[in-house]
Amino acid sequence: MRVLLVEDDQYLVEILVENLVHQNYTVDVAIDGILGWEKAQKISYDLIILDVDLPRLDGISLCKRLRSQNITTPILLLTACNQREDKVKGFDAGADHYVVKPLDLQELSARIRALLRRRQQAPPTLLEWEQLRLNLNTCEVTYQGKPLNLTPKEYGLLELFLKHHQRVFSLDVIIEKLWDLEETPTENTVRAHIKGLRNKLKIAGIPGNVIETVYGLGYRLKQPSSPQPEPKKISAKSLQHQPKLNQAIVQIWKRYQTKICDRITILEEFYLSLQQGKPDQNLRRQAQQEAHKLAGSLGTFGLGRGSVLAREIEQLCESPTLTSEQIPHFKQLVFKLRQEVEHNAPHSPPLPPENPNLPLIKSSHQVWILSQDHALTQGIQTASLNLGIDSQILTEQSVLSNLKKTSQNPPNFPIVFLDFDYYHSYELVTQLTEQTPSIPVIVLTEQKNFTQRVKVSQAGGKAFLQKPVTSEQINKVIMDVLRQSCTLNAKVLIVDDDSQILEAFQALLEPWGIQTFLVEDPRHFWESLETTNPDLLILDIEMPYLDGIELCQVVRADPRWKSLPVIFLTSHTNGDMKHQVFLVGADDYLTKTTAAPLLVNRILNRLRRTQTLRDSSGNVY
């Protein structure tokens, strides 16, 4: 099989070529759209893989040009955009499929095999599922010889599923296959048509749902009643079965790591131009391009969080001008991105643990899945793998056994998907969320029970998802948790005359990437405030020379610091003292007897909310 790869990202090209050659494909490479066009005219390929964002001629335009010349070769688009309008543009241009960056090599290989199989197979005229028949020539549908009266859309749905026995169709793909762009329906409309088809098949006497819901992915045709093998579990560790390919990717990373760091340097140079008040628009466009390429390729190297950060940087670069509150945020994102690339570089896979029931935590983050629903776990694993995150299917016992390992490595915690239909335990939710750091728990269930939703929230659940869940929902939840788990890179100034308290706070906060500046003598407070320019101020109340209330009044009287968040820390618990500190402008009030996990969470939440408010309202301090 001969494949044309049109991609301008050189180190991504090497990864893809290595992967394709490893599967015995012959690969030709073009680094821009014009060269791709010239090669496609000269040689008859079995498959063309196009990046959308190409120099000289973009992938969408090239796809249109190929189809206008009656080149029917299957076309697979590679894109960093996952919006519906972008997908529609690609399909409208004549593409057969698309894969969203960052790429998962296993998924890409499966897509390629599916496209090549599709081209080799002649379309049947009679589609069958057990005793259900659909005649493509006469458009008749029968079950056990009796006709079924279906609407055109119900007929189209059934034809789609019968033609592709093994394929799962998302709502977006169903819309693209069966509806014109001018009459694009809502997802609820599509669900209504599927429900109508199911009802008619049930009335005809077919037991169960012929059209199955695959949680997190979409819908597919139910497998025949004969026993079927369980779906293969997807895991990042499956790459370990391809040692040569995996080692090749590590070698590619080593060759291009310097170039990747150079791309981050361009982002840093753009930030410096912003800081100096002289933004260079050419440099901005270059930074946007480099961030775009990093977002598309880092996930392929297993740096899923790096892709998330690069995507956010790219979005900021899309604006011709950055506001005063966006500039420090841009700096923070670039700083985190460099840390991610330097500290989590790809390496040869470790040996598997001796005890499979107690897996060791190897990556900076993991997804733990507690469910016996194979379709749901497959959807979550696929989403995790696309972000370069390892996932494991565990039992309640093995989760509890792993808690000690996670507690030793803050903030390297897992993200837990807990299926309440199989593991209904509020106690487990509480136990996970009360860890230090708190472990995010996403609860999933088919039950529509508001009381259950409230109890999960009270137990500390991060999110509550109603089944069926879409792949977009799963991706969004994971990415939200990843963003919040990024080290804050914040500065906290703590003023307390108790040196033990100061050292305790420093030990608690520094693992989260928070710089702590300690002032034991309040007479040195103002000098430290102006020198450190903190994001948060923590004040003890009772101190010699100057108490915390007096310091807070001074801060609030200065226009530069009036918006600085202030938390009071005291041994007092009486209501009068609380009233007094809030009168002088406190944002929060903590007692020294508060448990350490609660102290940390209150401070982290305050910093995150402050950053969000600052980004949206423009407050700068």
Side-chain angles (χ1 to χ4, degrees):
M1 293 288 185
R2 189 159 191 165
V3 176
L4 173 62
L5 172 62
V6 190
E7 168 65 65
D8 65 319
D9 190 330
Q10 189 174 359
Y11 52 82
L12 185 56
V13 165
E14 287 208 26
I15 292 175
L16 295 178
V17 169
E18 189 76 36
N19 183 47
L20 293 169
V21 170
H22 185 76
Q23 299 174 71
N24 299 317
Y25 295 112
T26 300
V27 185
D28 294 334
V29 176
I31 60 173
D32 62 54
I34 297 298
L35 290 176
W37 165 246
E38 292 172 353
K39 286 181 178 290
Q41 284 185 302
K42 295 176 182 177
I43 300 173
S44 178
Y45 290 98
D46 298 289
L47 175 69
I48 299 175
I49 302 175
L50 293 180
D51 184 21
V52 171
D53 189 16
L54 290 169
R56 299 179 69 188
L57 182 67
D58 65 85
I60 299 293
S61 300
L62 175 55
C63 188
K64 290 180 179 178
R65 184 179 292 188
L66 292 170
R67 294 306 187 222
S68 69
Q69 296 300 310
N70 295 321
I71 295 176
T72 60
T73 304
I75 296 176
L76 178 67
L77 288 180
L78 306 180
T79 176
C81 302
N82 197 24
Q83 301 298 318
R84 178 180 296 176
E85 53 268 26
D86 299 303
K87 300 175 189 176
V88 171
K89 286 180 183 178
F91 285 116
D92 199 36
D96 295 272
H97 218 302
Y98 70 93
V99 175
V100 179
K101 296 179 180 179
L103 303 176
D104 167 46
L105 296 180
Q106 285 186 313
E107 180 186 359
L108 179 65
S109 299
R111 302 284 189 195
I112 290 172
R113 290 193 297 269
L115 285 174
L116 294 174
R117 281 197 306 268
R118 188 183 309 166
R119 193 182 192 198
Q120 294 170 351
Q121 295 171 351
T125 58
L126 184 66
L127 304 176
E128 298 179 290
W129 181 89
E130 294 191 345
Q131 298 184 57
L132 181 66
R133 308 282 188 273
L134 187 149
N135 192 314
L136 293 171
N137 291 331
T138 63
C139 297
E140 291 179 336
V141 180
T142 61
Y143 179 69
Q144 293 181 340
K146 298 178 181 179
L148 277 72
N149 184 22
L150 304 181
T151 67
K153 284 293 184 277
E154 291 167 352
Y155 176 90
L157 283 166
L158 184 59
E159 178 186 349
L160 184 67
F161 289 118
L162 289 174
K163 279 184 175 179
H164 309 279
H165 282 246
Q166 303 294 329
R167 181 174 174 183
V168 178
F169 289 93
S170 67
L171 291 171
D172 283 345
V173 174
I174 291 173
I175 290 171
E176 290 158 1
K177 294 287 186 182
L178 300 183
W179 272 268
D180 296 330
L181 294 180
E182 292 77 12
E183 55 166 350
T184 302
T186 64
E187 292 184 350
N188 286 336
T189 301
V190 181
R191 291 191 182 99
H193 284 291
I194 292 174
K195 182 178 179 180
L197 174 60
R198 284 170 165 170
N199 288 337
K200 290 184 179 180
L201 294 174
K202 186 175 181 180
I203 292 171
I206 303 178
N209 278 332
V210 177
I211 311 301
E212 288 185 323
T213 299
V214 181
Y215 299 114
L217 297 176
Y219 301 89
R220 71 177 174 194
L221 187 70
K222 181 180 179 181
Q223 299 305 302
S225 55
S226 57
Q228 297 292 314
E230 292 186 355
K232 184 179 179 180
K233 297 178 181 179
I234 302 173
S235 170
K237 286 186 173 63
S238 61
L239 289 177
Q240 295 176 11
H241 298 302
Q242 306 177 51
K244 292 182 179 179
L245 176 60
N246 200 24
Q247 186 60 36
I249 292 175
V250 173
Q251 294 303 318
I252 292 170
W253 170 264
K254 289 179 179 179
R255 288 201 301 272
Y256 286 97
Q257 186 174 7
T258 301
K259 186 173 181 180
I260 291 171
C261 291
D262 289 342
R263 286 180 166 169
I264 299 176
T265 300
I266 291 173
L267 302 180
E268 293 168 338
E269 290 174 356
F270 177 53
Y271 162 72
L272 290 176
S273 73
L274 293 172
Q275 189 180 42
Q276 296 166 2
K278 300 176 182 179
D280 185 324
Q281 290 302 314
N282 290 330
L283 187 57
R284 179 190 66 79
R285 285 190 289 270
Q286 187 180 3
Q288 181 182 352
Q289 293 171 358
E290 301 299 352
H292 178 82
K293 293 186 181 301
L294 289 168
S297 59
L298 288 179
T300 308
F301 286 113
L303 299 174
R305 191 172 72 162
S307 280
V308 173
L309 294 169
R311 183 85 66 230
E312 195 168 349
I313 293 170
E314 179 191 2
Q315 291 170 353
L316 286 174
C317 291
E318 288 174 354
S319 174
T321 58
L322 269 68
T323 63
S324 56
E325 65 271 13
Q326 288 177 320
I327 293 174
H329 181 52
F330 183 91
K331 176 187 178 182
Q332 186 181 66
L333 291 173
V334 175
F335 175 78
K336 292 177 183 176
L337 180 60
R338 183 172 287 281
Q339 278 193 322
E340 179 72 10
V341 168
E342 290 179 351
H343 298 160
N344 295 305
H347 54 275
S348 299
L351 294 173
E354 295 180 4
N355 186 351
N357 294 321
L358 298 175
L360 298 176
I361 298 170
K362 300 294 184 182
S363 58
S364 59
H365 293 291
Q366 283 197 341
V367 168
W368 291 358
I369 307 168
L370 283 85
S371 177
Q372 298 175 32
D373 184 329
H374 295 302
L376 175 61
T377 56
Q378 187 176 22
I380 297 172
Q381 287 178 309
T382 301
S384 305
L385 197 58
N386 286 341
L387 292 172
I389 304 173
D390 192 15
S391 61
Q392 301 178 62
I393 302 172
L394 304 177
T395 64
E396 184 173 348
Q397 182 180 4
S398 58
V399 164
L400 296 176
S401 299
N402 275 293
L403 290 182
K404 292 182 180 180
K405 298 182 180 67
T406 60
S407 63
Q408 297 170 0
N409 299 285
N412 300 334
F413 52 77
I415 303 168
V416 177
F417 283 83
L418 178 60
D419 189 344
F420 252 38
D421 296 335
Y422 294 93
Y423 298 93
H424 189 280
S425 173
Y426 298 109
E427 292 77 14
L428 180 59
V429 177
T430 302
Q431 191 166 359
L432 290 167
T433 57
E434 288 184 350
Q435 294 296 308
T436 304
S438 177
I439 294 177
V441 179
I442 295 90
V443 171
L444 309 99
T445 181
E446 287 184 341
Q447 299 180 32
K448 296 182 179 180
N449 187 324
F450 181 69
T451 302
Q452 185 181 73
R453 186 183 292 263
V454 171
K455 288 184 178 180
V456 168
S457 177
Q458 292 172 340
K462 191 75 174 178
F464 188 99
L465 299 180
Q466 191 78 46
K467 295 181 184 178
V469 293
T470 65
S471 55
E472 288 80 7
Q473 286 176 295
I474 296 172
N475 271 308
K476 185 178 185 302
V477 166
I478 295 177
M479 291 178 70
D480 285 345
V481 173
L482 281 173
R483 288 191 185 99
Q484 292 187 23
S485 72
C486 294
T487 53
L488 289 171
N489 192 30
K491 293 181 289 186
V492 175
L493 179 62
I494 309 171
V495 186
D496 196 306
D497 62 321
D498 186 338
S499 60
Q500 291 184 351
I501 293 290
L502 294 175
E503 291 176 7
F505 266 95
Q506 189 173 42
L508 286 170
L509 297 179
E510 286 191 344
W512 295 90
I514 298 173
Q515 287 182 278
T516 53
F517 299 91
L518 312 179
V519 177
E520 192 171 349
D521 187 338
R523 291 176 296 181
H524 301 149
F525 162 70
W526 194 257
E527 178 185 351
S528 298
L529 179 68
E530 294 195 323
T531 302
T532 59
N533 189 21
D535 300 291
L536 176 68
L537 176 61
I538 300 177
L539 296 174
D540 185 21
I541 292 182
E542 292 185 357
M543 294 182 291
Y545 309 112
L546 292 167
D547 62 46
I549 291 177
E550 291 172 323
L551 295 180
C552 186
Q553 288 174 321
V554 172
V555 168
R556 291 296 182 241
D558 191 302
R560 294 172 298 168
W561 308 107
K562 65 180 182 179
S563 299
L564 176 65
V566 178
I567 296 178
F568 274 90
L569 182 69
T570 178
S571 57
H572 291 284
T573 58
N574 62 78
D576 290 339
M577 184 60 71
K578 292 181 181 179
H579 180 68
Q580 191 174 355
V581 298
F582 284 118
L583 276 179
V584 297
D587 294 277
D588 206 347
Y589 180 101
L590 297 173
T591 64
K592 291 186 178 180
T593 57
T594 304
L598 181 57
L599 281 173
V600 173
N601 284 330
R602 292 275 282 273
I603 292 170
L604 293 175
N605 289 336
R606 175 62 57 183
L607 287 169
R608 286 169 180 148
R609 283 199 298 272
T610 300
Q611 289 180 353
T612 302
L613 290 172
R614 182 170 55 193
D615 292 343
S616 60
S617 64
N619 291 333
V620 181
Y621 36 82

